[in-house]
Amino acid sequence: MVDLSNFLEANAAMSFPAMEVARSPHLPCVPVDANATDSNSATDVLDLWRQQKQIPAPFVWPHADARPSSMLELDVPVVDIGAALHSAAGMGRAAAQVAEACASHGFFQVAGHGVDLALARAALDGAADFFRLPLATKQRVRRSPGTGEGYASAHADRFAAKLPWKETLSFSHNHDDVGARGNSHVVVDYFTSALGDDFKHLGEVYQEYCEAMEEASLAIMEVLGVSLGLGRGYYRDYFADGSSIMRCNNYPRCPEPDRTLGTGPHCDPSALTILLQDGDVDGLQVLVDGAWRFVRPKTGELVVNIGDTFMALSNGRYKSCLHRAVVHREKERRSLAYFLSPREDRVVRPPPSPAPAPRLYPDFTWAELMRFTQRHYRADSRTLDAFARWLDPPSFSAAPLPNGPAQAQGTV
């Protein structure tokens, strides 16, 4: 855990304008808790909305990680999911696009996904309203150590250096059983139990958004199944009872954007990530051919990338690629990431094949990989290799780990 006491003492006398939280249909206007106490922990006191002339030392990243971006844009296909689900020709076209992208860098965009634009806007606005709340209020849902749920400032509760210039709010979404949709209010209950009934509407917005993301993710799984020659139902059925995570990301304006990162270079441990980017503020970059390339926001489209779990499911045929988020001096940025994962106890292994290739990764469960990345390892491009060594099955020999600490964790 990071000690920022010197930084805080040096800035204690600085005058900051009072932050006013506008009333909105999503959140109540909540005053700072007068009884709240400060701590030297960055988890308790770091408010990234306060702008400094220099960033604190724990946020400075090595040049190798934060090296300047190119202005190149990654050439990612736009896959029409709606057309894929409604015609053989559409499915064939979508499967070919996905196969080419996933064998190379694992990123593509989707249109025709069925997510209502007004709902997406409400979810983004709800995130903006939440992150504008006083820090003491946000910390009422502070993330507990070793878990993936709750509010976090810069992941300072987990790491001591190379902190990301962001704050996040994460919560679980367990897929409903068949026929039970509408009867589950897990997300709503999370918000009301942690923050009170005034936040019920925000929970309802995210409940509906998560259900839309679930449907979109399962439709994408149909296309992935066809692209790998397994048919539409194979991966849809595999993930139908999955356990997913929803994460709201906020990247405040940064006084020294060239010295830090919003999210460091990493690969997602989950199976699939669906990212909604807000407005025209770019930030997501993917490392391809030695250069960081932007995946820019496009109205009405979602960014999809393959994660480590699906790379293991495909036995390495589809790639989980290194990506990061940059920040800006004059602009803040927000995004919503939905991480699709299997049920926690479901075994992750490639499907049977008449001519199976040598296995690259051992069998594991999502619960094991989640525990590994939350408690033992900071996700990077070598997570699966490190995980295989951690499991230490005698029949597998993972590649040597890189020297020094891992790079980063998070999704952009």
Side-chain angles (χ1 to χ4, degrees):
M1 192 171 292
V2 179
D3 183 355
L4 294 182
S5 55
N6 292 334
F7 162 70
L8 293 164
E9 290 170 5
N11 289 282
M14 295 182 65
S15 175
F16 298 100
M19 181 177 62
E20 295 183 358
V21 182
R23 293 188 182 274
S24 77
H26 303 290
L27 298 182
C29 186
V30 182
V32 176
D33 183 359
N35 296 319
T37 58
D38 283 348
S39 155
N40 287 337
S41 160
T43 305
D44 292 329
V45 296
L46 181 60
D47 187 345
L48 294 180
W49 288 96
R50 295 180 175 184
Q51 295 301 296
Q52 313 297 330
K53 294 181 180 180
Q54 291 184 320
I55 62 175
F59 290 90
V60 176
W61 284 68
H63 181 74
D65 295 323
R67 63 182 182 272
S69 312
S70 72
M71 295 309 295
L72 298 174
E73 188 168 353
L74 183 64
D75 183 18
V76 295
V78 178
V79 180
D80 189 336
I81 296 296
L85 298 182
H86 291 97
S87 75
M91 178 61 79
R93 182 167 53 253
Q97 290 176 303
V98 164
E100 181 178 3
C102 292
S104 174
H105 47 66
F107 276 78
F108 55 96
Q109 301 218 52
V110 295
H113 42 68
V115 180
D116 183 74
L117 291 179
L119 174 61
R121 183 71 263 161
L124 286 165
D125 289 346
D129 292 339
F130 175 84
F131 288 121
R132 291 190 186 107
L133 289 171
L135 182 61
T137 303
K138 292 183 285 190
Q139 289 193 325
R140 284 157 54 185
V141 286
R142 182 171 50 197
R143 183 174 63 191
S144 298
T147 70
E149 289 189 89
Y151 170 77
S153 288
H155 298 321
D157 57 326
R158 298 185 58 200
F159 307 123
K162 296 194 295 185
L163 299 183
W165 191 264
K166 70 174 179 179
E167 53 182 346
T168 62
L169 174 66
S170 306
F171 45 91
S172 296
H173 172 243
N174 297 319
H175 297 189
D176 293 335
D177 293 333
V178 176
R181 183 167 305 287
N183 296 325
S184 176
H185 303 283
V186 174
V187 177
V188 177
D189 292 345
Y190 173 78
F191 277 86
T192 56
S193 63
L195 291 167
D197 289 341
D198 287 339
F199 289 79
K200 181 178 179 181
H201 178 70
L202 183 61
E204 290 172 341
V205 168
Y206 284 123
Q207 182 77 47
E208 185 177 356
Y209 184 79
C210 285
E211 290 174 0
M213 285 292 103
E214 177 186 339
E215 286 300 327
S217 66
L218 294 179
I220 294 167
M221 280 298 164
E222 292 191 38
V223 177
L224 286 169
V226 172
S227 73
L228 288 167
L230 299 169
R232 292 177 58 163
Y234 186 86
Y235 286 124
R236 184 182 182 98
D237 293 344
Y238 182 90
F239 287 98
D241 58 355
S243 176
S244 299
I245 293 287
M246 172 74 191
R247 178 170 297 161
C248 308
N249 299 303
N250 184 55
Y251 303 91
R253 292 182 292 273
C254 180
E256 296 182 288
D258 294 336
R259 301 182 68 206
T260 190
L261 289 168
T263 304
H266 70 284
C267 297
D268 295 337
S270 57
L272 194 76
T273 302
I274 305 179
L275 185 73
L276 174 64
Q277 303 187 84
D278 191 5
D280 60 355
V281 183
D282 53 41
L284 170 61
Q285 296 182 331
V286 184
L287 185 64
V288 177
D289 297 330
W292 289 105
R293 301 169 186 260
F294 281 101
V295 180
R296 302 191 188 279
K298 295 182 179 179
T299 302
E301 296 178 5
L302 301 169
V303 179
V304 178
N305 67 274
I306 297 298
D308 287 344
T309 296
F310 198 87
M311 184 163 70
L313 280 172
S314 69
N315 201 30
R317 290 178 62 182
Y318 283 0
K319 309 302 180 187
S320 177
C321 194
L322 208 63
H323 54 287
R324 70 180 188 180
V326 296
V327 291
H328 303 277
R329 187 183 304 274
E330 302 297 335
K331 296 179 181 180
E332 62 190 30
R333 174 176 174 262
R334 277 173 292 277
S335 65
L336 305 178
Y338 183 84
F339 302 98
L340 176 68
S341 304
R343 195 180 67 205
E344 290 187 351
D345 62 349
R346 190 174 296 281
V347 176
V348 176
R349 69 164 65 99
S353 173
R359 289 283 301 278
L360 298 182
Y361 310 104
D363 288 356
F364 61 89
T365 65
W366 168 243
E368 290 173 323
L369 180 57
M370 183 70 168
R371 183 169 66 252
F372 177 69
T373 57
Q374 289 295 316
R375 300 184 180 182
H376 303 289
Y377 192 81
R378 196 171 185 180
D380 62 5
S381 62
R382 304 296 297 278
T383 300
L384 281 182
D385 288 333
F387 180 53
R389 293 173 67 91
W390 183 69
L391 292 174
D392 197 29
S395 59
F396 282 86
S397 179
L401 297 180
N403 293 327
Q407 300 298 317
Q409 176 170 340
T411 288
V412 298

